[in-house]
């Protein structure tokens, strides 16, 4: 247990609402959990009451759960509930959401399916209206509505608000600076009767694109007049290093005039005949060798500005090109493309009564994949036109255009070959057999399905899918229900708070790294795309990029390495 400063000791004995400010690794979470433990042990909670801890990232929740296991022992652990903001909202909506949509049964609208449903809806206002219509008319609940509907539920039903307040007398709000307007409305509904402890760092506010407001901390102060604590630049995560010092200097550009022991800047060049990512992999291998020479488990993360660069890095690390070995790693991947591809493959594996039925189902799922594989980025007009033409074929039985005719004929051929397959009952072998049918297609959009499905391994759902499909085979001697089983398995990922050991090599975007910590971090920007500072970025975007770089570097506990191209060095460095 680290020694507590006078400021932290003062927080432990403070009543009422609290605002705790501090930089990365300053101990905000630790002192909040210690405060919860003191309140529980002092008997300040009534019978059945709990302290509720809310954060955004499942990785943060898992890390907090580990801290709780070390800090709070015995029956006191039962008096602390740890959840994501989404998970808490879903808990209420699942049991009481019917009060908001005239009693219609509620079903979650998974992000892949949501992306497909909203593909042709332009503009934020129109998309929000369509999400509300889906909830009201069809009972389909989009993730973006969770906080707003939860707040409305608590405001609409005073009886329910009292029940929730009685259940959670204290609510700890982690990463408070990142809350959007809907989450702030939900928090205010909770704060009407419960004590709030907000943990915040204004200089980690990197989610303005999803509605985080620079005024949120001031709004909390105005609404609740909390006791305020500032832990400044206290550093418990990377104590003994100058990583936090670099992060602070970065905000004032003082870093440009200084050298650091534990933050290393590499201005990488290019090697004839080598990949553009050659220097990155070399730096990563050096980091692995450093960490392997030390005791115990280790972790290192490669953090990049964009999803596109993330996938390029992952592919290069997997390859044995440039005489480098293949490196096992995890990737924090968006689910839409692989999830929709998995649903399509499962549908083909499940099959229909006759090949024509299987082909029709394949084309339906193909349309969904085309419309939704890019997630929140809508499909282009060519993709929308293709999906519309294939949908028209399902209605009329005719389609115009050589490429579109080829897709239909290939779908029919794949369905027929699927019915000729001698399925083994081994879910993985049968899955691969269907994927090979798609990979061997002459139609590019069908080959794309097979390519997207490869990334399922990066979602760590292979074992779960194999288990579900194996159970179906044992029960039905086939794969009836495979598509539903796959969708359910992937949907559970959004609510999983299981403890994850962040060991080995991880690749993710800078924004995905928030709330995580690693022994070493490599921040890597590409030479043309995947830049930390985008060309022609606005002043506001530049400020957000600076905050994001600070977040990335301060994920490291021992050392951070920044790679930027020598011929176009990042302007922050």
């Amino acid at each position: 247990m680290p020694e507590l400063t006078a400021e932290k000791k003062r927080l432990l004995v403070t009543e009422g609402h609290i605002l705790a400010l501090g930089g990365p690794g300053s101990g905000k979470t630790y002192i909040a959990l210690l405060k919860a433990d003191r309140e529980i042990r002092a008997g300040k909670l009534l019978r059945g009451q709990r302290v509720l801890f809310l954060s955004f990232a499942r990785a943060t929740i898992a890390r907090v759960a580990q801290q709780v296991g070390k800090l709070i022992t015995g029956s006191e652990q039962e008096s602390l509930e740890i959840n994501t903001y989404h998970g808490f909202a879903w808990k209420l909506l699942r049991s009481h959401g019917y009060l908001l949509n005239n009693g219609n049964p509620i079903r979650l609208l998974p992000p892949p399916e949501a992306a497909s449903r909203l593909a042709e809806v332009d503009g934020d206002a129109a998309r929000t209206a369509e999400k509300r219509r889906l909830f009201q008319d069809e009972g389909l609940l989009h993730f973006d509505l969770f906080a707003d509907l939860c707040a409305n539920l608590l405001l609409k039903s005073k009886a329910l608000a009292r029940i929730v307040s009685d259940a959670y007398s204290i609510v700890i709000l982690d990463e408070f600076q990142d809350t959007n307007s809907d989450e702030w409305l939900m928090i205010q509904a909770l704060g009407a009767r419960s004590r709030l402890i907000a943990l915040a760092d204004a200089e980690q506010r990197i989610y303005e694109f999803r509605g985080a407001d620079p005024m949120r901390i001031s709004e909390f102060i105005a609404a609740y007049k909390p006791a305020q604590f500032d832990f400044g630049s206290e550093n418990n995560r990377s104590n003994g290093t100058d990583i936090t010092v670099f992060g602070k200097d970065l905000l004032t550009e003082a870093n440009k005039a200084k050298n650091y022991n534990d933050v290393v800047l590499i201005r990488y060049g290019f090697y004839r005949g080598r990949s553009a990512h050659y220097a990155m992999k070399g730096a990563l291998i050096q980091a692995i060798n450093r960490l392997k020479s030390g005791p115990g488990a280790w972790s290192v993360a490669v953090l990049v500005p964009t999803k596109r660069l993330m996938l390029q890095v992952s592919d290069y690390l997997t390859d044995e090109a440039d005489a480098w070995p293949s490196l096992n790693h995890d990737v924090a991947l968006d689910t839409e493309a692989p999830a929709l591809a998995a649903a399509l493959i499962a549908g083909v594996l499940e099959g229909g009564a006759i090949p024509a039925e299987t082909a029709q189902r394949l084309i339906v799922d193909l349309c969904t994949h085309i419309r939704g594989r890019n997630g929140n980025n809508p499909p282009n007009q060519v993709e929308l036109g293709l999906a519309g033409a294939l949908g028209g074929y399902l209605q009329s039985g005719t389609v115009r255009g050589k490429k579109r005719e080829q897709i239909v004929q290939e779908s029919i051929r794949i369905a027929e070959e699927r019915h000729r397959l001698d399925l083994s009952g081994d879910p993985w072998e049968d899955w691969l057999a269907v994927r090979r049918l798609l990979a061997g297609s002459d139609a590019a959009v069908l080959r794309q399905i097979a390519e997207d499905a490869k990334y399922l391994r990066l979602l760590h759902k292979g074992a779960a899918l194999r288990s579900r499909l194996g159970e179906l085979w044992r029960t039905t001697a086939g794969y009836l229900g495979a598509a539903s089983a796959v969708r359910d398995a992937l949907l559970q990922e959004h609510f999983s708070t299981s403890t994850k050991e962040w060991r080995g090599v991880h690749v993710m975007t800078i924004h995905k790294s928030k709330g995580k910590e690693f022994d070493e971090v490599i921040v890597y920007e590409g030479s043309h795309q995947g830049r930390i500072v985008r060309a022609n970025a606005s002043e506001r975007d530049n400020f957000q990029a600076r905050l994001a770089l600070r977040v990335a570097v301060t994920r490291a506990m021992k050392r951070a390495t920044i790679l930027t191209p020598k011929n176009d060095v990042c302007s922050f460095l």
Side-chain angles (χ1 to χ4, degrees), residues 351-359 414-422:
I354 57 176
E357 187 177 318
T358 303
I414 288 170
E416 290 173 345
E417 290 194 22
R418 154 63 186 87
H419 280 258
R420 287 195 292 268
L421 282 177
D422 185 14

Side-chain angles (χ1 to χ4, degrees), residues 317-337:
L317 294 184
T318 302
D319 202 352
E320 294 182 356
D322 298 334
W324 290 129
S326 175
L327 297 177
N328 290 328
H329 61 281
D330 287 347
V331 181
L333 190 71
D334 283 347
T335 63
E336 284 84 357

Side-chain angles (χ1 to χ4, degrees), residues 183-408:
E183 288 147 359
W184 173 225
L185 189 63
M186 180 179 78
I187 288 166
Q188 289 174 284
L190 293 171
R193 297 176 180 84
S194 300
R195 291 170 56 194
L196 301 179
I197 300 177
L199 315 177
D201 177 7
E203 293 169 349
Q204 287 198 72
R205 193 190 68 256
I206 63 172
Y207 288 109
E208 284 193 3
F209 65 87
R210 65 173 294 276
D213 192 325
M215 297 303 296
R216 188 74 67 234
I217 295 173
S218 298
E219 289 176 332
F220 184 81
I221 294 171
Y224 297 103
K225 309 296 188 294
Q228 297 182 47
F229 301 85
D230 191 344
F231 306 139
S233 57
E234 290 183 36
N235 179 16
N236 298 308
R237 175 183 297 144
S238 53
N239 196 21
T241 75
D242 52 13
I243 293 171
T244 300
V245 175
F246 173 88
K248 183 178 180 181
D249 290 344
L250 180 65
L251 299 179
T252 61
E253 299 191 25
N255 62 295
K256 292 185 176 182
K258 295 172 64 173
N259 293 318
Y260 300 86
N261 294 322
D262 308 296
V263 180
V264 178
L265 176 61
I266 297 177
R267 299 174 177 87
Y268 68 88
F270 299 92
Y271 301 85
R272 186 181 299 274
R274 306 286 190 184
S275 166
H277 309 307
Y278 181 78
M280 175 276 302
K281 194 167 185 178
L284 176 58
I285 290 174
Q286 290 178 356
I288 293 170
N289 290 336
R290 277 193 300 271
L291 293 168
K292 280 186 173 179
S293 66
W298 54 270
S299 61
V300 59
V302 180
L303 307 182
V304 297
T306 65
K307 297 174 186 177
R308 181 181 173 188
L309 182 58
M310 178 187 72
L311 293 178
Q312 290 178 3
V313 166
S314 176
D315 288 342
Y316 184 59
L317 294 184
T318 302
D319 202 352
E320 294 182 356
D322 298 334
W324 290 129
S326 175
L327 297 177
N328 290 328
H329 61 281
D330 287 347
V331 181
L333 190 71
D334 283 347
T335 63
E336 284 84 357
L340 290 171
L344 185 148
I345 291 176
V348 175
L349 187 61
E350 181 175 340
I354 57 176
E357 187 177 318
T358 303
Q360 184 176 41
R361 181 172 188 171
L362 190 163
I363 294 172
V364 169
D365 288 343
L366 177 60
C367 292
T368 301
H369 180 267
I370 293 168
R371 292 160 60 90
R373 71 177 300 272
N374 292 324
N376 289 329
N377 297 318
N380 59 40
Q381 290 302 311
V382 173
E383 292 166 332
L384 284 175
L386 175 58
L390 293 175
Y393 166 79
L394 294 173
Q395 297 293 325
S396 66
T398 61
V399 65
R400 298 178 62 182
K402 288 185 177 180
K403 288 187 177 180
R404 295 170 178 179
E405 289 175 358
Q406 180 191 47
I407 293 169
V408 170

